[in-house]
């Protein structure tokens, strides 16, 4: 199965630490998305790439958050100086412009 | 801006009974509408989508939804619930072509009573 892959699946960190999540999209999908999902809520859009270009960023993506997709393939989402409010599931999705295919998510717990 | 409202954060139905999950949307332009399902510890899976054309849309696992512009609704139905339908369901909206952002509702957790 070559679906969307996310790593790590779970991350527990202390407040103030930096964390990085990786997303490997479905091969040849040129669009890649990051969403955040907190308990009891639907996924919230964070950012979107078309190939290596980051075309849209949500206001939710504060200056502590940065996402990259350097070669238009995998993407990383880094959170600096984590806060307890960053605890959430971070979802990655990819597409060719139609249906979004989601990974299983990376769950972040900030202590 | 687009938004969706899902009425009922929790819905319980008996096995074999009708499933009805409600979704109302707000959009300044003709929307694209979606229903996704999320099983525990898994990613979201597309159940069905409405873009243009026929307003009654059939999806996977026996689900269907009807786009009603006059009611700004896109309710999800299934005639006969199965135990395996227990999951969280999300309605989502986005603008017509060329706009990538999906806006999700808060979700409805469906419980099936044996």
């Amino acid at each position: 199965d070559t679906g969307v892959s996310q790593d790590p699946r779970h991350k527990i960190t202390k407040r103030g630490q930096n964390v990085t999540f990786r997303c490997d999209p479905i091969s040849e999908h040129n669009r890649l998305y990051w969403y955040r999902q907190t308990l009891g809520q639907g996924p919230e859009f964070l950012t979107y790439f078309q190939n290596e270009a980051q075309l849209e960023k949500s206001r939710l993506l504060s200056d502590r958050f940065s996402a990259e997709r350097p070669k238009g393939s995998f993407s990383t989402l880094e959170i600096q100086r984590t806060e307890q409010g960053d605890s959430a599931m971070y979802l990655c999705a990819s597409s060719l412009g139609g249906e979004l295919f989601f990974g299983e998510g990376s769950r972040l717990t900030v202590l | 801006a687009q938004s969706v409202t899902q009425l009922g954060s929790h819905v319980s139905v008996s096995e074999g009974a009708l499933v009805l999950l409600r979704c109302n949307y707000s959009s300044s332009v003709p929307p694209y509408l979606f229903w996704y399902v999320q099983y525990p510890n898994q990613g979201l899976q597309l159940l069905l989508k409405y873009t243009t054309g026929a307003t009654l849309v059939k999806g996977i696992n026996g689900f269907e939804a009807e786009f009603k512009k006059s009611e700004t609704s896109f309710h999800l139905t299934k005639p006969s619930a199965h135990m395996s339908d227990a999951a969280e369901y999300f309605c989502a909206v986005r603008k017509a072509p060329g706009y990538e952002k999906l806006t999700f509702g808060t979700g409805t957790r469906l419980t099936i009573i044996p």
Side-chain angles (χ1 to χ4, degrees):
Chain A
D1 188 310
T2 56
V4 178
S5 177
Q6 293 189 244
D7 183 71
R9 294 290 311 280
H10 298 92
K11 178 71 176 178
I12 300 173
T13 191
K14 293 183 179 179
R15 188 177 53 189
Q17 298 296 303
N18 299 344
V19 297
T20 299
F21 299 113
R22 176 181 169 122
C23 172
D24 286 272
I26 293 172
S27 179
E28 298 178 355
H29 277 193
N30 61 344
R31 292 166 165 83
L32 187 146
Y33 312 78
W34 285 99
Y35 284 79
R36 182 174 69 185
Q37 185 178 19
T38 54
L39 200 62
Q41 299 297 316
E44 297 172 294
F45 173 82
L46 291 179
T47 190
Y48 152 63
F49 290 86
Q50 185 163 327
N51 299 312
E52 65 275 10
Q54 188 174 20
L55 297 184
E56 187 174 356
K57 291 170 60 174
S58 164
R59 284 175 291 180
L60 292 174
L61 216 63
S62 76
D63 56 6
R64 295 186 298 105
F65 288 69
S66 62
E68 295 182 342
R69 193 182 184 198
K71 298 182 179 179
S73 56
F74 73 91
S75 175
T76 58
L77 177 68
E78 181 183 17
I79 309 173
Q80 296 182 325
R81 305 182 302 281
T82 53
E83 301 173 355
Q84 288 186 325
D86 297 331
S87 295
M89 177 76 83
Y90 291 86
L91 298 169
C92 177
S94 70
S95 82
L96 278 171
E99 177 182 349
L100 268 64
F101 292 84
F102 283 84
E104 295 185 333
S106 292
R107 182 171 295 283
L108 173 64
T109 301
V110 182
L111 302 176
Chain B
Q2 282 66 39
S3 68
V4 289
T5 302
Q6 291 185 242
L7 296 176
S9 58
H10 292 86
V11 171
S12 296
V13 300
S14 298
E15 190 176 14
L18 171 71
V19 175
L20 171 60
L21 305 182
R22 299 178 187 275
C23 173
N24 287 89
Y25 70 90
S26 172
S27 177
S28 57
V29 298
Y32 281 14
L33 294 159
F34 306 79
W35 275 100
Y36 282 83
V37 61
Q38 187 176 34
Y39 298 100
N41 300 314
Q42 294 189 25
L44 282 78
Q45 181 183 6
L46 181 67
L47 274 178
L48 49 79
K49 64 181 179 183
Y50 169 79
T51 55
T52 59
T55 56
L56 182 62
V57 180
K58 295 187 184 298
I60 61 172
N61 302 338
F63 285 93
E64 61 183 36
E66 186 171 10
F67 170 63
K68 291 187 176 180
K69 184 178 179 181
S70 61
E71 298 178 8
T72 61
S73 68
F74 191 58
H75 301 331
L76 182 71
T77 61
K78 181 174 180 177
S80 177
H82 192 272
M83 294 300 294
S84 61
D85 295 327
E88 185 110 25
Y89 292 80
F90 294 94
C91 183
V93 63
R94 82 176 197 206
K95 288 182 182 178
Y99 195 75
E100 299 292 329
K101 175 185 171 183
L102 266 179
T103 301
F104 286 86
T106 52
T108 298
R109 181 169 298 279
L110 177 64
T111 300
I112 309 300
I113 303 167

